[in-house]
């Protein structure tokens, strides 16, 4: 079974370390520590899939490390020639998964490593069945590669149309690679430009008007875990430069502070916009893009994987508290729809099926429901009546909503193309989405 696991060997005997390294070499990347202090320094820097520790470590005992290893989310295996019942019991009580004799490692250790890999594979298959629903072979293959990456000092950039599951993918990658660490999420499009620095870096009390207390930023909160920045394309250029510096130096200054703060985390970013186009127009920094895109992953639109439509519909149907039946002609209508809002739009449609009057979903209900996604504007003759009855802002909001919905339909949900057609800024586009609670 192909794997790229990360190991930490804690062993004070040089030759024992060499023996373990030889056994583990085919399974992934290996680091070593010769004593308890060195082990703690390694554990503080990064997560590991599996940590193997001896019991007798010079002046210390490996038993003292087990709970620390487990808290870091690693699979702990004790490897020792010491076999006292009391010590073995304590090791298991503290969270060790296995206690192996040094004299039988060559034959036995690979068995336990393969069992770990099988459990990891089973977890991946469960995710595909219950969370990230797809049967697209190319997508599954690419997802599997992500789970095999050693994420030390790496970054992941996720692109794809809105509603394809970029946030979900970031969350799942975090759960697989850092199961017991913090996942800190920030949607850059939802934060005002003048507040984004404070959100990322934090601020001191009194740093600016309204800063009535000290606040930790997302970078500090993500230390040791994962920071997920959604809609990173909306981040202002000046902020990109500041974040780039913080990523390179692993330190930053909260707003209003002269004391640096250290933060080390896995960075995942995502956007539905075309960053290559934005870089060509000097609207996104190339150096920042290269820093955040160590690994790149593109999520295909639902129209590019039509075989997933029925699979997803059945999944949403099965998870609905109210049972309903979808007639074959209705399912065909769902399959033929372009789904500019991708999975998010499909999920919302299925939620409406569950909330509808009829428990039998036919093609007429489907067509009517999908048609209701676009609200009509008042006729030209009625605009004055609408403005003076509901206000000018209401009428403008209605025009904006209609224009965005039409642009999304014409461009199959591609945000960059919509912004170009509408000739507005990305921040204005996201404002319209938020104000009208549009789901694409």
């Amino acid at each position: 079974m192909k794997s790229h696991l990360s190991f930490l060997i804690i062993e004070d005997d040089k030759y024992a370390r060499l023996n373990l390294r030889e056994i583990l070499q085919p399974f992934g990347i290996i680091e070593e520590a010769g004593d308890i202090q060195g082990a703690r320094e390694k554990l503080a820097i990064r997560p590991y899939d599996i940590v193997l520790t001896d019991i007798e470590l010079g002046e210390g005992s490996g038993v003292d490390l087990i709970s620390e290893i487990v808290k870091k989310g690693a699979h702990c295996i004790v490897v020792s020639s010491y076999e006292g019942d009391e010590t073995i019991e304590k090791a298991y009580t503290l969270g060790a998964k296995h206690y192996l004799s040094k004299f039988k490692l060559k034959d036995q250790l690979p068995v336990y490593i393969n069992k770990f890999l099988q459990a990891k594979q089973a977890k991946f298959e469960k995710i595909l069945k219950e969370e990230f629903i797809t049967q697209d072979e190319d997508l599954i293959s690419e997802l599997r590669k992500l789970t095999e990456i050693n994420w030390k000092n790496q970054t992941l950039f996720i692109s794809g149309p809105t509603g394809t599951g970029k946030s979900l993918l970031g969350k799942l990658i975090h759960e697989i690679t850092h199961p017991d660490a913090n996942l800190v999420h920030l949607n850059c499009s939802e934060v005002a430009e003048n507040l984004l620095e404070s959100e990322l870096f934090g601020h001191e009390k009194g740093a600016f008007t309204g800063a009535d207390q000290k606040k930790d930023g997302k970078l500090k909160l993500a230390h040791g875990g994962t920071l997920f920045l959604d809609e990173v394309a909306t981040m202002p250029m000046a902020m990109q430069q500041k974040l780039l510096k913080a990523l390179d130096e692993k330190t930053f200054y909260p707003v209003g502070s002269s004391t640096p703060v250290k933060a080390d985390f896995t960075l995942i970013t995502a956007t539905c916009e075309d960053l290559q186009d934005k870089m060509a127009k000097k609207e996104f920094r190339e150096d920042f893009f290269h820093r955040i895109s160590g690994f790149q992953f593109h999520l295909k639109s639902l129209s590019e994987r039509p075989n997933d439509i029925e699979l997803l519909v059945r999944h949403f149907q099965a998870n609905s508290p109210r049972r309903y039946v979808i007639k074959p002609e209705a399912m065909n209508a769902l399959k033929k729809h372009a789904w500019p809002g991708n999975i998010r739009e499909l999920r919302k449609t299925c939620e409406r099926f569950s909330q509808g009057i009829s428990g039998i979903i036919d093609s007429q209900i489907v067509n009517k429901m999908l048609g209701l996604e676009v609200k009509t504007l008042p006729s030209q003759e009625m605009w004055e009546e609408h403005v003076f009855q509901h206000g000018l802002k209401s009428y403008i909001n209605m025009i904006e909503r209609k224009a965005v919905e039409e642009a999304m339909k014409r461009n199959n949900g591609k945000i960059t193309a919509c912004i170009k057609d509408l000739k507005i800024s990305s921040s204005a586009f996201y404002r319209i989405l938020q104000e009208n609670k549009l789901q694409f």
Side-chain angles (χ1 to χ4, degrees):
M1 181 182 297
K2 184 179 179 182
S3 61
H4 293 280
L5 298 176
S6 57
F7 298 93
L8 175 61
I9 299 171
I10 307 172
E11 169 62 69
D12 62 342
D13 184 275
K14 174 182 176 182
Y15 296 101
R17 291 200 303 270
L18 287 172
N19 182 47
L20 282 168
R21 177 175 282 277
E22 183 179 351
I23 295 170
L24 297 174
Q25 200 74 51
F27 294 97
I29 296 172
I30 304 163
E31 294 188 10
E32 301 175 6
D35 53 35
I36 288 182
Q37 181 180 348
R40 285 178 171 146
E41 290 173 356
K42 295 278 187 181
L43 289 168
I45 293 173
R46 57 150 301 176
Y48 297 91
D49 292 309
I50 298 176
V51 177
L52 303 97
T53 183
D54 192 5
I55 290 297
E56 298 173 311
L57 294 170
E59 298 180 357
S61 170
V63 172
D64 298 331
L65 288 171
I66 293 174
S67 59
E68 297 176 42
I69 293 168
V70 173
K71 284 180 182 178
K72 291 291 185 179
H75 191 83
C76 181
I77 299 178
V78 175
V79 177
S80 179
S81 56
Y82 184 80
E83 299 182 1
D85 285 352
E86 184 178 341
T87 300
I88 295 173
E89 181 178 354
K90 187 174 182 180
Y92 281 120
T93 301
L94 290 171
K97 298 298 183 182
H98 307 293
Y99 196 110
L100 306 181
S101 169
K102 281 187 177 182
F103 305 112
K104 300 178 180 179
L105 285 181
K106 191 171 184 179
D107 294 329
Q108 292 300 314
L109 185 54
V111 173
Y112 292 102
I113 301 300
N114 280 316
K115 285 183 178 180
F116 176 85
L117 285 168
Q118 289 167 6
K120 189 175 180 181
Q121 176 65 20
K123 183 177 181 179
F124 178 73
E125 298 298 335
K126 183 180 180 183
I127 285 172
L128 291 180
K129 183 178 180 181
E130 299 178 2
E131 296 185 71
F132 205 97
I133 313 299
T134 184
Q135 58 186 6
D136 185 274
E137 292 184 2
D138 292 337
L139 180 54
I140 291 173
S141 175
E142 293 302 309
L143 287 171
R144 183 171 283 109
K145 289 177 184 177
L146 287 185
T147 67
E148 296 173 348
I149 292 170
N150 174 16
W151 287 100
K152 181 180 180 180
N153 297 323
Q154 298 293 349
T155 56
L156 172 64
F157 171 67
I158 306 171
S159 60
T162 184
T164 49
K166 296 185 292 296
S167 294
L168 175 59
L169 176 58
K171 174 176 175 287
L172 295 178
I173 294 302
H174 166 79
E175 289 179 353
I176 291 172
T177 57
H178 301 76
D180 296 307
N182 289 335
L183 170 63
V184 179
H185 179 277
L186 176 66
N187 189 319
C188 299
S189 70
E190 295 177 351
V191 182
E193 185 173 333
N194 63 325
L195 296 177
L196 188 55
E197 183 175 3
S198 171
E199 282 294 317
L200 288 169
F201 300 141
H203 63 252
E204 295 295 320
K205 181 178 179 180
F208 51 84
T209 303
D212 52 1
Q213 59 183 357
K214 180 179 179 180
K215 175 183 177 180
D216 288 335
K218 303 298 186 185
L219 272 68
K220 182 178 180 179
L221 296 174
H223 180 63
T226 303
L227 175 63
F228 180 64
L229 299 179
D230 203 358
E231 300 305 344
V232 70
T234 64
M235 183 179 290
M237 298 278 277
M239 193 71 254
Q240 293 172 34
Q241 184 177 12
K242 290 182 180 180
L243 183 54
L244 174 62
K245 187 173 186 291
L247 293 172
D248 285 339
E249 299 179 358
K250 299 188 187 304
T251 59
F252 61 92
Y253 292 88
V255 179
S257 173
S258 58
T259 304
V261 177
K262 291 185 177 181
D264 191 10
F265 46 80
T266 294
L267 177 65
I268 301 178
T269 55
T271 186
C272 52
E273 296 190 50
D274 185 347
L275 289 191
Q276 295 294 336
D277 181 66
K278 289 182 76 72
M279 285 188 288
K281 294 180 177 179
K282 307 299 182 184
E283 296 174 353
F284 199 87
R285 294 179 63 99
E286 288 191 34
D287 53 358
F288 183 60
F289 173 75
H290 294 310
R291 183 63 179 82
I292 66 176
S293 58
F295 288 91
Q296 299 184 35
F297 191 96
H298 181 74
L299 278 172
K300 295 189 286 187
S301 66
L302 198 52
S303 62
E304 294 177 282
R305 45 190 179 105
N307 291 335
D308 281 350
I309 293 175
E310 181 169 358
L311 188 68
L312 285 160
V313 169
R314 296 303 183 194
H315 170 74
F316 297 139
Q317 184 182 16
N319 285 278
S320 170
R322 178 182 182 235
R323 303 293 101 184
Y324 57 88
V325 174
I326 301 177
K327 302 291 285 183
E329 66 272 15
M331 184 62 75
N332 288 334
L334 291 170
K335 289 179 180 179
K336 291 177 181 178
H337 186 60
W339 298 110
N342 293 291
I343 298 171
R344 185 183 293 124
E345 182 187 359
L346 180 61
R347 182 180 66 249
K348 291 292 183 182
T349 299
C350 291
E351 288 175 1
R352 294 188 184 102
F353 290 158
S354 176
Q355 298 163 1
I357 297 174
S358 176
I360 302 174
I361 310 301
D362 57 24
S363 57
Q364 184 177 359
I365 290 175
V366 170
N367 292 331
K368 181 179 179 182
M369 193 166 289
L370 294 177
L372 288 176
E373 292 299 309
V374 179
K375 293 185 178 180
T376 57
L377 295 171
S379 64
Q380 186 172 354
E381 293 77 13
M382 296 172 61
W383 77 266
E384 287 186 351
E385 180 182 350
H386 183 95
V387 167
F388 292 109
Q389 182 176 352
H390 302 286
L392 179 60
K393 183 172 177 56
S394 172
Y395 187 70
I396 292 173
N397 285 345
M398 197 176 296
I399 293 173
E400 289 180 334
R401 177 189 176 103
K402 173 68 175 176
V404 166
E405 287 176 328
E406 288 297 328
M408 291 293 284
K409 288 182 69 177
R410 291 185 184 186
N411 293 291
N412 197 27
K414 296 179 179 178
I415 299 292
T416 302
C418 292
I419 291 172
K420 285 182 180 178
D421 284 355
L422 295 170
K423 296 179 176 60
I424 59 175
S425 66
S426 58
S427 59
F429 182 85
Y430 287 109
R431 175 189 59 76
I432 296 169
L433 290 184
Q434 292 164 21
E435 288 182 355
N436 292 277
K437 298 180 180 180
L438 294 175
Q439 298 288 338
F440 290 106

